[in-house]
Amino acid sequence: MNSTSTDVTGSTPQTLLDKMGRDNISSSRDPDKLTPEDITSFWIGFGLAFSSTIFIGTSFIFKKLGLRKLASQGTRADQGGYGYLKEWLWWAGMSLMILGEFANFAAYAFAPATLVTPLGALSVIVSSVLSSIFLREKLNILGKMGCALCVIGSTVMVLHSPQEQEVASMDILKEKVQEPGFVIYAFLMVGTAIFFMIFVAPKYGNRTVLVYITICSTLGSFTVMGCKGVGVAIHQTLHGQNQFTNWLTYVFLSAVIICILVQMNFLNRALDIYNTAVVTPIYYVFFTTCVIVASLVLYKEFFSMSTKDIFGFICGFLIICMGIFQLNAFRDVNISLKNLPNAHRDELPKVSLNGGSMNQENTDEQRLLENDSICAKDYHDEDDSHPI
């Protein structure tokens, strides 16, 4: 990609296809040279990715409604109850989430990752809007700013992350997962998840949403890697090389099933305790970050990252940290545009002649009167207790 300036057409499908690696020519190339198949694939991928955000964002609402109904009838999900398995609202939400994940997975086969992954941030907005309408869950202005920062930071990280390598066969994938770097990463992530499940979640799961989200996200990266492994196996099988006799295929399939079941359990606990508008953005951020890091370790793509991309990647991560801090630190603060200090001109404090605030003077005077009354009361009580 050369350094010549580009015009407003830099956001056309041509640029995104170039970033995916289908062309190594500058994005100023004539878009007319795109084949009809490329354009069709681009819009199919866009449609699948967009519909995925709608399905996933809506699924959180249905699952939350089911968990609320369960809480009014019996044991809550955060207390280890599994009554939600009998609730049709929860199953409706789970079906929408599965449908959304399948649509998102299929979108990567048609459109570049630089389009599909940032679009996933829309599910945060969909969930926040629907939760305020149907669940009556409100975010203060700082929480909304935190959501926006999380979405922006995740998008910056994705746009500056290296393009994922294509794995053509299970043999190549087998070599990659057996490399020491990925083995160490896998042990660290699985160990972190087990430690949080056994020691941290029972004590602190009800205090901070980060506990359950950390468990879901660390295991979620293995869910994505497992899905890609199963996808490679299916692709080879359809081309005449049966991979369902390969033990590695069943390892990937088992990892997907186990990780999804554990994720489902702890995500339900998080939704049962905390607002959907808080769970959704933090889960999206942690999940996306873990998937990107797993991809970097598995494919060693960080060696090919430029200084600009490394800097952008770190900046995106710091923006995410700021957003998460705002979401958690100020979630219980009653603040909005209406009660911001000095938000309206007619609410400014009146200034006295000596330059002080009349409101402050009245407050100080009231405190002095209260102190005088307390002292007087103590004095009379002392006189009563020691009569002459």
Side-chain angles (χ1 to χ4, degrees):
M1 195 72 70
N2 55 36
S3 59
T4 57
S5 61
T6 57
D7 55 8
V8 292
T9 59
S11 59
T12 61
Q14 176 65 44
T15 304
L16 295 171
L17 293 175
D18 287 341
K19 288 180 120 181
M20 186 174 61
R22 296 183 180 179
D23 289 301
N24 288 323
I25 307 173
S26 172
S27 60
S28 59
R29 176 183 172 182
D30 186 3
D32 294 335
K33 293 185 179 180
L34 280 173
T35 64
E37 289 79 8
D38 289 337
I39 297 176
T40 302
S41 295
F42 176 87
W43 288 113
I44 290 175
F46 176 82
L48 287 170
F50 185 78
S51 62
S52 172
T53 64
I54 303 297
F55 291 141
I56 294 175
T58 309
S59 70
F60 284 98
I61 309 304
F62 277 92
K63 292 174 76 173
K64 180 72 173 184
L65 288 171
L67 292 170
R68 278 188 176 181
K69 188 175 180 180
L70 171 68
S72 65
Q73 295 176 352
T75 307
R76 299 175 62 99
D78 71 295
Q79 298 173 346
Y82 296 95
Y84 54 82
L85 295 176
K86 301 178 182 179
E87 181 56 51
W88 72 270
L89 282 171
W90 184 88
W91 278 110
M94 193 65 190
S95 300
L96 286 172
M97 178 168 283
I98 293 173
L99 185 62
E101 293 296 345
F102 270 115
N104 188 65
F105 182 74
Y108 284 99
F110 294 95
T114 49
L115 170 72
V116 176
T117 309
L119 275 177
L122 291 178
S123 63
V124 176
I125 301 174
V126 171
S127 178
S128 298
V129 172
L130 293 180
S131 64
S132 65
I133 296 173
F134 296 102
L135 301 177
R136 306 299 180 187
E137 294 179 351
K138 301 296 183 181
L139 275 179
N140 58 31
I141 187 171
L142 295 176
K144 293 175 181 177
M145 291 175 62
C147 285
L149 287 174
C150 288
V151 173
I152 293 171
S154 297
T155 305
V156 171
M157 283 186 67
V158 170
L159 292 177
H160 286 279
S161 63
Q163 295 303 303
E164 193 175 89
Q165 297 178 2
E166 294 293 333
V167 178
S169 67
M170 292 291 287
D171 292 334
I172 298 176
L173 189 58
K174 180 180 178 181
E175 293 177 1
K176 290 184 176 297
V177 298
Q178 290 179 337
E179 291 180 354
F182 185 76
V183 173
I184 293 173
Y185 169 82
F187 273 109
L188 286 175
M189 291 297 101
V190 173
T192 299
I194 293 175
F195 177 78
F196 269 66
M197 284 188 285
I198 296 176
F199 299 104
V200 181
K203 293 183 178 179
Y204 303 103
N206 294 337
R207 300 182 187 179
T208 172
V209 67
L210 298 180
V211 174
Y212 293 143
I213 295 302
T214 300
I215 297 171
C216 295
S217 302
T218 51
L219 296 179
S221 62
F222 294 105
T223 302
V224 173
M225 296 296 111
C227 286
K228 292 181 179 180
V230 174
V232 172
I234 294 174
H235 184 268
Q236 275 193 275
T237 301
L238 294 177
H239 285 78
Q241 300 177 4
N242 185 14
Q243 294 298 317
F244 284 91
T245 58
N246 189 339
W247 62 270
L248 189 59
T249 302
Y250 295 98
V251 171
F252 286 134
L253 189 60
S254 301
V256 170
I257 295 173
I258 293 173
C259 290
I260 286 178
L261 290 176
V262 177
Q263 282 179 264
M264 179 182 68
N265 180 33
F266 286 98
L267 185 59
N268 285 331
R269 296 189 183 188
L271 287 172
D272 192 28
I273 301 173
Y274 305 101
N275 283 356
T276 309
V278 173
V279 173
T280 309
I282 296 179
Y283 177 63
Y284 169 77
V285 166
F286 274 49
F287 177 78
T288 303
T289 303
C290 289
V291 170
I292 290 176
V293 172
S295 178
L296 292 175
V297 174
L298 181 62
Y299 300 112
K300 295 184 175 62
E301 292 158 335
F302 46 83
F303 291 115
S304 62
M305 292 177 68
S306 64
T307 304
K308 179 184 71 174
D309 286 332
I310 293 175
F311 183 75
F313 194 85
I314 295 174
C315 287
F317 180 75
L318 293 177
I319 293 173
I320 288 171
C321 292
M322 293 170 59
I324 294 175
F325 175 77
Q326 282 197 199
L327 272 170
N328 282 274
F330 304 107
R331 66 183 181 185
D332 296 325
V333 177
N334 183 20
I335 183 172
S336 64
L337 285 174
K338 294 182 179 180
N339 60 16
L340 281 177
N342 302 335
H344 302 287
R345 189 177 297 272
D346 56 354
E347 294 179 0
L348 291 172
K350 297 179 181 180
V351 180
S352 62
L353 294 176
N354 60 6
S357 172
M358 292 183 65
N359 292 341
Q360 183 65 35
E361 287 181 352
N362 292 336
T363 303
D364 294 340
E365 185 175 345
Q366 184 177 1
R367 287 177 180 171
L368 288 173
L369 291 174
E370 290 177 354
N371 291 335
D372 290 342
S373 64
I374 292 173
C375 292
K377 183 178 183 300
D378 292 339
Y379 176 77
H380 288 303
D381 290 342
E382 188 174 355
D383 276 350
D384 293 340
S385 59
H386 301 283
I388 297 176

